[in-house]
Amino acid sequence: MEDKTEPEPVLLSKHAKNLLRFLNMLPARMASHDNTRSTIVFFAVCGLDVLNSLNLVPPQLRQDIIDWIYGGLVVPRDNEKRCGGFMGCRAMVPLTEDADVLACMRKYQWGHLAMTYTSIAVLVTLGDDLARLDRKSIVDGVAAVQRPEGSFSACIDGSEDDMRFVYCAATICHMLDYWGDVDKEAMFQFIAKSLRYDYGFSQELEGEAHGGTTFCALAALQLSGQLHRLDAATVERIKRWLIFRQMDGFQGRPNKPVDTCYSFWIGASLCILDGFELTDYAKNREYILSTQDTLVGGFAKWPQATPDPFHTYLGLCGLAFTGEPGLSAVMPSLNMSMAAYVHLQHLHEVWRSKSKEGSEDNDLAISSAVQHQLKLTKDGEAIATTTATTSTSPLISAQ
């Protein structure tokens, strides 16, 4: 007998209200995340954008968010370390005029790569012109935390360094259309050496292949104009590793449970490599919807778990890749909506018209699906879905 059961709907309005709440008030359980508050704002703002619901953010709140973001900008003085960028919270910005306290706190004010990436992305998504940024100062801060082997630390002092911050460095330089003293060759060599025997990328050298860091590696290569340096056979083997991460939803590593966020990490990686159509859209959607909170909105990592902004946003992006109605198209490597990406390209054109410092590497060799969505966006047509990619894989035929 034919199964006529209607598929479970994506509760778009509830997810929008859920994300909007995180812009107004955070639950007590998230107090420990205060130092990464910029990332919460990123998931909420960009999630509303993918939901085509930024109109729910009142003009005054939108301006307040922009001003709050700029409040975390660190511009080093001439006698200070190159530590430009954004902080994740305002704990190091005390409300005092005491010169001794301010001088003490100044020593701990430095940019953090992840917070700088998410802060700039929020500004772009909200339509800011980035006129208050000193692009050179920020990229100097990025170059200052690059390690000899090509990786990057999160900040100038006391931080781990791995593939996550390689990705953040690439996004910052690409969005600012300026690479300065960043050593892209060293970055490429670090990424290449992190490719494991099974053709996923690890977080650090000699580590285990992981879905999240495979995305970081591939996106960093694309954003730096170096994706073409992977030969065709290697690309096909990476695709194979990624495709094998699908159970119903996607897992991050072999023999691990599936998790909503990997619908983005693995899905975006396959979009970058023009291979997303080789996945099972229906199974992916079914798993993501199993983590949907039908009462208050939001997605969780697992069914029956508590939803959060991180999994809500990445779950929405994963659904956008499958062509879910009502969702805006997503630019995979920058992890923002295609509409925000078009605004960013406009800023690049303005900057390049004023100077010659723009990087030709920012003219991305993007996949056929992204090219199509980019054309639709620039032409002002409605963007409700992300079209399937066109696979050129000689190993696995499209289904």
Side-chain angles (χ1 to χ4, degrees), residues 145-287:
V145 297
Q146 187 169 21
R147 311 295 294 180
E149 75 278 7
S151 180
F152 292 81
S153 297
C155 52
I156 198 71
D157 192 20
S159 169
E160 60 214 324
D161 56 279
D162 55 58
M163 193 69 75
R164 296 170 299 172
F165 305 116
V166 172
Y167 170 69
C168 292
T171 59
I172 295 165
C173 293
H174 180 84
M175 287 192 291
L176 296 182
D177 197 24
Y178 180 67
W179 289 81
D181 294 329
V182 172
D183 189 338
K184 289 195 286 186
E185 177 59 30
M187 183 178 75
F188 174 81
Q189 293 302 327
F190 174 80
I191 294 173
K193 291 175 182 177
S194 299
L195 184 63
R196 309 312 300 145
Y197 72 93
D198 52 358
Y199 287 89
F201 290 89
S202 58
Q203 185 161 304
E204 61 275 318
L205 300 178
E206 305 301 327
E208 179 184 8
H210 187 278
T213 48
T214 295
F215 164 78
C216 289
L218 293 172
L221 289 176
Q222 185 179 60
L223 293 170
S224 62
Q226 301 187 94
L227 187 62
H228 67 279
R229 297 180 67 177
L230 298 178
D231 63 72
T234 297
V235 168
E236 293 307 318
R237 291 180 177 123
I238 295 171
K239 285 183 186 177
R240 180 181 185 273
W241 186 87
L242 290 166
I243 291 165
F244 277 21
R245 299 285 65 76
Q246 184 166 24
M247 304 293 106
D248 43 8
F250 291 90
Q251 60 183 185
R253 292 173 287 168
N255 303 313
K256 294 292 184 178
V258 296
D259 180 331
T260 296
C261 68
Y262 292 108
S263 292
F264 173 79
W265 303 125
I266 302 296
S269 299
L270 284 167
C271 287
I272 290 170
L273 298 181
D274 243 347
F276 186 71
E277 71 172 18
L278 301 175
T279 64
D280 188 325
Y281 289 21
K283 287 293 184 182
N284 184 20
R285 185 185 190 278
E286 182 180 348
Y287 177 76

Side-chain angles (χ1 to χ4, degrees), residues 76-119:
R77 297 162 186 160
D78 291 341
N79 62 337
E80 294 177 331
K81 297 177 181 178
R82 295 193 301 168
C83 55
F86 286 89
M87 298 180 289
C89 70
R90 306 299 169 263
M92 294 296 109
V93 186
L95 298 176
T96 179
E97 296 181 3
D98 188 312
D100 290 337
V101 172
L102 292 174
C104 178
M105 287 297 186
R106 182 68 185 180
K107 298 176 183 178
Y108 300 96
Q109 293 174 3
W110 52 58
H112 185 287
L113 290 192
M115 305 307 135
T116 301
Y117 157 54
T118 52
S119 294

Side-chain angles (χ1 to χ4, degrees), residues 276-340:
F276 186 71
E277 71 172 18
L278 301 175
T279 64
D280 188 325
Y281 289 21
K283 287 293 184 182
N284 184 20
R285 185 185 190 278
E286 182 180 348
Y287 177 76
I288 296 174
L289 268 291
S290 73
T291 72
Q292 177 175 243
D293 190 312
T294 58
L295 182 62
V296 298
F299 293 99
K301 65 185 301 181
W302 299 318
Q304 307 304 316
T306 303
D308 59 75
F310 173 80
H311 288 90
T312 299
Y313 174 60
L314 296 183
L316 290 170
C317 291
L319 289 171
F321 292 147
T322 69
E324 185 67 34
L327 298 180
S328 177
V330 173
M331 168 46 170
S333 55
L334 279 178
N335 192 8
M336 62 172 57
S337 76
M338 196 62 69

